[in-house]
Structure formats: structure tokens, C-alpha cells
Amino acid sequence: MAAIALKGQLASKIVPKNGSISVIYIKTSSYSSDAKLNLAAYKRGTGGRSSFNGIVATVFGCTGFVGRYVCNKLGKIGTQMILPYRGDFYDAARLKVCGDLGQVLFTPFDIRDEESIARAVQYSNVVINLVGRDYETKNFKFTDVHVEGPRRIARICREMGVERLIHLSYLNAERNPKPLVMKGPSLYKISKFLGECAVKEEFPTATIIRASDIYGSEDRFLRSIASIWRRHSHFLPLYKNGEATIKQPVFVSDVAQAIINAARDPDTRCQVYQAVGPKRYLWKDLVVWFYRLMRKDEKWGFAHYDMKYDPILFPLKVMLANKLSPAYPYGNLHWEGLEKECTTDVVDHNLPTLEDLGVTLTHMEDQVPWELKPYRAHLYYIDQLGEFPKPPPPPVYAE
């Protein structure tokens, strides 16, 4: 009996009726079909919210500012989501409507508990880490949230065989930042830098997105500058009167869309993207424009001044905002936030941006007026058409 060996698919034997010849296929490579078929992982539907696109995504930080937008966009394209939460389940339950029935699953977790993290990622092929904090609490320091937590998530993802990891970082993170309004270097910037390094060490193919100041509904950028805690009546202290800081804020929906596009594109592995807006502005011009949109212009009595001329009252207010509310500072007023506020956005032109991920960037003049409507002076006054002229947008900073 003659035997013919052919390179090809899975090893098998074909024996004709006469039994004289056997054909043996020798396996030369591994195929996805080798494993037991998982029919639940197959794509189903037309691609909308009531379909399944084949992606199972775990979103750490799902209840946060950016996380809610990411979950909504994931649900729109038919992604099955596993949403880890801590604390009260009802804080996360509102995300149930992001996807169709059975597509949004919840699991409790603690960023210090490896077993809960492994349980959250064991069925996922994409993991998105959005966990972050602008200020320290009695339970979690910056190192816990920005360094050890991401390192633990990245390592467990690698051990569990997760295909893609996307980590949200900070644009101006650096190892040795120069202090601006603080007495020492910003631990927020340092921890964000070290956290990015930790993720790369544990998961070398991770996709990093470095975001500048992110604005949108319920943000910590526009709301903090509009807060009554941030100013003294009608007077607002700014670092060097706002003339030494250049900002390039980005809309939260654009950042969320970039994360979705990165999750669906395997070519984004090992890449670092900069999440910045389409235009750069002087911080002073932005602040004046914000207050004019809130109908708190010069006629209202608004004025800004250099923070250095307020060495007692403003630091005292910052201290009170943190002492009176240990869980979170009133008005999001704290020194790390002020340090972040007066930091100039530095963009590396050698690195890709959100536009390289196929995102059409939103201009601030098209979105910010709507975001600041709840903070208008005399909010319930019904104005006549044209009574309050639309303030011109701030000039674009030319470097």
C-alpha cells in the first residue's frame, strides 16, 4: 500500500474503496479552527446596537466621565461589554441600556484584587483601562490608581491571553515635571508617566492614548473653571494671568471614538496616540470666552488677575475645599488640578493624533456654548431673540 504525504491542513487519512492508497496530511501551522468552536463568539446581526460584532470588551473605569461615552459607543456597534464596578451597583446600572439584552454584563472588582480583575477579563479579547483620579483620597493614592493598578491589569491581561489592551494616559505626563503653582513636582503627572511605562512593560503591544484636557458634559475642565469655588465673587485668579499657558482641549466624544476605532483596528498595536483638539488657545483667551458664554462678561463684573497677587485668600480657599470635604474637593478645587490647569499642552509632532485614527475632531466653538448653558447668569431668565449677542470665539494661538 503506497502512502502519499502532503503538507496542508489538519492531519487526516483518506482510504479509497480499494484500500491501496492512503493520503496523509501533515499539519504545518496552527489554525483558529483547531480549538473547540465557540458559536457565541460569531458575529451576528447587521452591526447595530441589537447585533454582535464579535468583540467582547472589558471597560475598567466604565462609570467615569470618559467611560460612559466609551460604553455607549461600544454598544452602538454591537459590542458585548463586561463592566467592572466598585461600590454601589446602582452607580453602574445606568449603563445597562448601552447594549441590547444580555450584551452588558457587570462584575464587582477592586483594583487591588487580582482575582476580581482576572474574572473581569477572562472572556474578553479587548480590555480598555480608563481608571484615573485627579486627586488622592484616604484609600487610594496616585501610585495605587495610576501605576500599580494599570500594571496589575496589564499583567493579568497578558496572562489571561487578552488580544488588545488600550490604556488612557495624560498628554503632559513626565518623570520630572517642573512645579508651577505647587511647591513640589506634580505627583499626578509623575504617576501617569510611570503608569504608562508599567503598562508597556507588562503588555508590550498595548495601545496608549495620551489625552490633554477633556471637556464635555459633567467634565472636570469646564465645570471647575465655572465653579463658584474657583473665583472670588467676580474675580478669577490665574497662573501668570493666563498668559503663560497654551491649551489644546479635546472633546470627550472624540476621545471615545478614538478608543473604539483603536479597538477595531489591529494595526494600532504598540502605538501611542495624542488626543488633542484641532486648535491651540491661550488660556486667558479661553477663560474670558467661557465667562462671556455664561453671560458673565465685563459688564457683569468679571475680571481675572495674576494668582501671585493672592497669596493668602486663594490658598485658604483651596485648603477649605479639601478639608471640608475629605471624599472629594468642593468645586474640583485642589492643587493638583490647578497644576494641571496651568500646564501648557506639549504636542510631539512625530506621534500620531486622533485624526490618524479616523476621528473628525470637534471644534470648541461648536460644542462649548452648549456645555456651558447650565452655568449662565440668571439662568431662568427668558431672553428675547438677539438680546444677548453670541460672543466671538477665542483667537487661535499662533506659535
Side-chain angles (χ1 to χ4, degrees):
M1 180 177 65
I4 301 175
L6 299 175
K7 292 183 178 181
Q9 313 260 336
L10 297 174
S12 61
K13 183 186 292 185
I14 300 178
V15 181
K17 294 182 179 179
N18 57 16
S20 59
I21 299 177
S22 63
V23 180
I24 302 174
Y25 290 89
I26 302 174
K27 179 180 176 182
T28 58
S29 58
S30 299
Y31 295 88
S32 59
S33 58
D34 294 353
K36 185 178 179 180
L37 295 179
N38 181 12
L39 297 179
Y42 277 45
K43 296 181 180 180
R44 301 186 298 276
T46 57
R49 202 181 291 271
S50 295
S51 62
F52 178 54
N53 60 9
I55 298 177
V56 181
T58 298
V59 184
F60 290 98
C62 59
T63 58
F65 170 50
V66 179
R68 296 192 293 271
Y69 288 81
V70 171
C71 291
N72 183 44
K73 288 183 178 291
L74 284 173
K76 279 185 176 181
I77 60 174
T79 305
Q80 186 175 89
M81 289 173 279
I82 300 173
L83 305 182
Y85 68 92
R86 68 183 184 94
D88 193 345
F89 164 73
Y90 290 100
D91 289 336
R94 71 189 73 178
L95 299 174
K96 191 73 175 178
V97 296
C98 288
D100 205 350
L101 185 64
Q103 291 295 89
V104 182
L105 309 172
F106 299 92
T107 178
F109 97 109
D110 190 298
I111 203 168
R112 298 162 295 193
D113 182 8
E114 296 189 2
E115 184 179 348
S116 66
I117 296 175
R119 187 168 55 248
V121 305
Q122 62 179 330
Y123 299 111
S124 301
N125 47 25
V126 175
V127 173
I128 302 169
N129 180 34
L130 306 174
V131 177
R133 177 65 77 185
D134 291 346
Y135 52 88
E136 294 183 329
T137 66
K138 63 179 182 180
N139 295 321
F140 294 94
K141 304 303 179 184
F142 283 131
T143 303
D144 302 326
V145 178
H146 296 154
V147 184
E148 298 304 324
R151 180 187 296 276
R152 195 173 294 114
I153 291 173
R155 174 175 56 81
I156 294 174
C157 286
R158 174 173 49 82
E159 295 171 351
M160 300 297 289
V162 174
E163 298 174 11
R164 301 292 315 283
L165 174 62
I166 301 173
H167 175 72
L168 184 64
S169 186
Y170 176 50
L171 178 69
N172 303 306
E174 53 182 318
R175 188 183 296 273
N176 299 304
K178 179 183 177 182
L180 300 174
V181 297
M182 297 177 63
K183 295 181 180 179
S186 170
L187 296 180
Y188 175 84
K189 296 179 182 178
I190 296 174
S191 62
K192 276 293 189 179
F193 175 84
L194 296 178
E196 186 177 317
C197 295
V199 169
K200 291 179 180 178
E201 290 175 8
E202 298 292 346
F203 204 106
T205 61
T207 302
I208 308 294
I209 296 181
R210 297 173 181 166
S212 62
D213 296 283
I214 305 176
Y215 67 91
S217 298
E218 301 182 356
D219 66 0
R220 294 185 296 274
F221 177 66
L222 296 176
R223 287 200 307 170
S224 62
I225 201 68
S227 171
I228 192 173
W229 280 86
R230 182 63 181 82
R231 64 180 190 270
H232 305 314
S233 183
H234 296 187
F235 303 97
L236 183 72
L238 295 174
Y239 171 71
K240 294 188 176 179
N241 206 19
E243 298 176 351
T245 305
I246 305 164
K247 289 291 187 183
Q248 199 165 348
V250 61
F251 185 41
V252 61
S253 185
D254 295 342
V255 178
Q257 188 61 53
I259 293 173
I260 305 307
N261 294 352
R264 304 183 74 179
D265 186 359
D267 292 336
T268 59
R269 289 186 176 94
C270 311
Q271 294 290 330
V272 177
Y273 294 91
Q274 299 174 113
V276 293
K279 299 175 183 176
R280 294 173 68 83
Y281 304 94
L282 196 65
W283 180 230
K284 178 185 70 173
D285 296 334
L286 270 181
V287 170
V288 171
W289 182 54
F290 292 161
Y291 273 82
R292 287 175 177 172
L293 289 174
M294 294 184 288
R295 299 174 181 172
K296 299 175 182 177
D297 53 9
E298 294 78 5
K299 295 181 180 178
W300 178 78
F302 172 74
H304 56 86
Y305 61 93
D306 197 329
M307 193 181 294
K308 70 179 182 180
Y309 297 123
D310 193 356
I312 299 177
L313 184 58
F314 187 66
L316 179 61
K317 180 183 281 190
V318 176
M319 183 190 70
L320 289 175
N322 290 265
K323 292 294 184 181
L324 296 177
S325 179
Y328 62 93
Y330 286 132
N332 202 43
L333 181 62
H334 51 94
W335 287 115
E336 286 286 355
L338 293 169
E339 186 79 10
K340 184 180 178 182
E341 174 191 297
C342 62
T343 300
T344 294
D345 290 334
V346 179
V347 179
D348 187 348
H349 297 288
N350 296 319
L351 294 177
T353 61
L354 299 189
E355 292 178 300
D356 296 287
L357 283 170
V359 178
T360 301
L361 297 178
T362 302
H363 295 269
M364 293 194 75
E365 53 266 31
D366 298 329
Q367 186 65 33
V368 172
W370 188 88
E371 302 290 351
L372 289 177
K373 274 188 177 181
Y375 302 95
R376 284 178 175 176
H378 312 294
L379 181 60
Y380 295 103
Y381 172 71
I382 303 176
D383 55 303
Q384 298 180 3
L385 186 64
E387 182 177 353
F388 294 96
K390 183 179 179 181
V396 179
Y397 184 80
E399 297 183 88

